[in-house]
Amino acid sequence: MAVAPRDDRFTVEASHAADTLVLVLAGELDHDTAEPLRQALEAALADGAARVLVDFSDVEFCDSTGLNVLLQGRLEAQKSGSRIEIAGLRPSIARMFRITGADGVFTVHPDMAGALADRPQTA
């Protein structure tokens, strides 16, 4: 899968690990930078990815726009029986996930190693 467009403040890189499409995010995910993530999720689902793992390890900031892109992607994934999972949330972003309840609708892994070791669950 192609790498999503780069922005000075935010990047999305896609790769495959076994049966999982991994999206590695880096930088600040907000209203002005969310489009590459939206495009990467749309492309992953259009390509038939059954499991998309979004690596937040290098995300320094995420606002409600970034969270909404993930939630919209989750709804689209559910339509096709796919899953979007999250890994490596920094404490401030994990707090936002807890406060909004997003940690209850996504499978959230502490880190990428654990996420990749987990067998995908069927929807």
Side-chain angles (χ1 to χ4, degrees):
M1 183 173 168
V3 174
R6 291 181 173 264
D7 179 277
D8 289 345
R9 295 187 306 121
F10 183 72
T11 60
V12 178
E13 294 187 19
S15 64
H16 288 275
D19 59 351
T20 301
L21 176 70
V22 178
L23 297 179
V24 179
L25 313 184
E28 299 175 7
L29 176 55
D30 60 27
H31 176 74
D32 295 329
T33 62
E35 191 57 28
L37 176 57
R38 183 184 331 275
Q39 291 173 359
L41 288 171
E42 287 175 0
L45 297 173
D47 288 345
R51 181 185 190 211
V52 179
L53 180 57
V54 183
D55 180 3
F56 266 79
S57 301
D58 292 325
V59 175
E60 300 160 8
F61 174 81
C62 178
D63 72 0
S64 61
T65 303
L67 182 58
N68 282 328
V69 168
L70 289 168
L71 291 167
Q72 289 170 350
R74 179 184 164 273
L75 292 175
E76 289 302 313
Q78 283 183 314
K79 291 177 185 176
S80 64
S82 299
R83 300 176 56 81
I84 295 176
E85 301 178 15
I86 310 295
L89 294 175
R90 291 181 179 205
S92 61
I93 299 171
R95 182 173 184 267
M96 179 183 67
F97 270 63
R98 276 191 310 276
I99 289 170
T100 62
D103 63 344
V105 298
F106 288 103
T107 299
V108 179
H109 304 275
D111 55 43
M112 283 298 293
L116 291 171
D118 260 359
R119 296 184 66 165
Q121 302 171 7
T122 56

